[in-house]
Amino acid sequence: RPSAEIGIRLLAVTLRRQCPGTRTVLFHANPTEGLRRWLVDFPDIELVTQKLPGGGTADVKPHALLAMLDRGHRHVVWLDTDMMLAGDPRPLFMKLAPEVIGLAEEVRLAPNQGTELRTRGWGFEVGRSLPFTLNTCVTRITTHHRPLMEEWGRLLSDDRYTRHFVIDLQHRPAHAMYDLDVLNALLGARPWS
């Protein structure tokens, strides 16, 4: 969306300031000509205009992460484009073991905290119950997480999720509001716990 491009620009500026030299890939199927020209001054940002499944929504995340693994990257960090960096987060990610997924935490005041409600909402057997909700605005994965990303991407196309799109957001069930709810359900489910 053209209205989101200001967020892309702010994130790009803070990435250059806080993480100089970091290779960044921007998946944007329909960038404006103004954004294309502006990105010329950011040689560390590669613009990819191929449309990914879920393109144009938050549901693109697992597909973009998988695309980066397919390019041969062993670990990948997703940052939402409405973020600005106040510091260099790379040391936080580098401390994580390869089998550990890195995610942000949802705002504590958000309703329906935790994974169990989401896991049960999908009909999965609970394998672990986190008392807080994970947020996908920052997501760090490694090659270890490929099967999890594939399943997350599959469920984002599943009717058990997409059928709720016609319902006003405030009336949707907690397990199917956003992409983060689906990943929380998986991370609480026995196979992924």
Side-chain angles (χ1 to χ4, degrees):
R1 299 174 312 268
S3 63
E5 289 187 359
I6 188 66
I8 293 169
R9 293 176 191 223
L10 291 170
L11 178 58
V13 168
T14 61
L15 271 167
R16 180 163 56 187
R17 182 180 308 132
Q18 303 298 344
C19 307
T22 297
R23 190 81 184 121
T24 303
V25 177
L26 170 61
F27 289 95
H28 192 339
N30 297 304
T32 63
E33 191 55 39
L35 181 65
R36 286 179 185 271
R37 284 192 307 272
W38 188 82
L39 286 172
V40 169
D41 292 332
F42 291 80
D44 290 334
I45 298 178
E46 174 188 355
L47 176 63
V48 175
T49 56
Q50 88 181 59
K51 186 167 172 54
L52 295 169
T57 70
D59 297 343
V60 74
K61 292 174 188 177
H63 307 292
L65 290 163
L66 285 166
M68 296 308 296
L69 293 179
D70 290 344
R71 289 176 165 213
H73 298 281
R74 292 184 7 218
H75 67 92
V76 182
V77 175
W78 167 279
L79 297 174
D80 276 1
T81 55
D82 60 354
M83 300 181 71
M84 294 175 33
L85 299 179
D88 186 349
R90 291 175 293 188
L92 298 171
F93 302 126
M94 299 316 264
K95 292 178 186 177
L96 300 177
E99 65 276 4
V100 174
I101 189 168
L103 294 158
E105 185 177 337
E106 181 64 279
V107 177
R108 287 294 225 171
L109 296 177
N112 304 312
Q113 286 290 320
T115 57
E116 191 169 336
L117 173 69
R118 290 160 176 83
T119 301
R120 290 190 191 287
W122 275 87
F124 301 147
E125 182 182 356
V126 175
R128 99 176 115 199
S129 180
L130 300 175
F132 49 85
T133 304
L134 301 164
N135 190 310
T136 58
C137 64
V138 177
T139 304
R140 178 268 195 181
I141 65 157
T142 68
T143 54
H144 179 84
H145 302 105
R146 176 178 285 282
L148 175 64
M149 294 297 104
E150 290 170 347
E151 183 64 3
W152 184 25
R154 188 185 73 73
L155 290 179
L156 291 176
S157 297
D158 189 296
D159 182 58
R160 291 174 290 173
Y161 177 66
T162 60
R163 72 175 176 231
H164 298 289
F165 291 174
V166 297
I167 302 169
D168 287 337
L169 196 54
Q170 66 266 24
H171 300 295
R172 287 186 197 171
H175 70 276
M177 292 183 75
Y178 299 106
D179 70 320
L180 69 91
D181 300 303
V182 178
L183 186 58
N184 274 268
L186 284 171
L187 291 173
R190 182 153 307 283
W192 306 104
S193 62

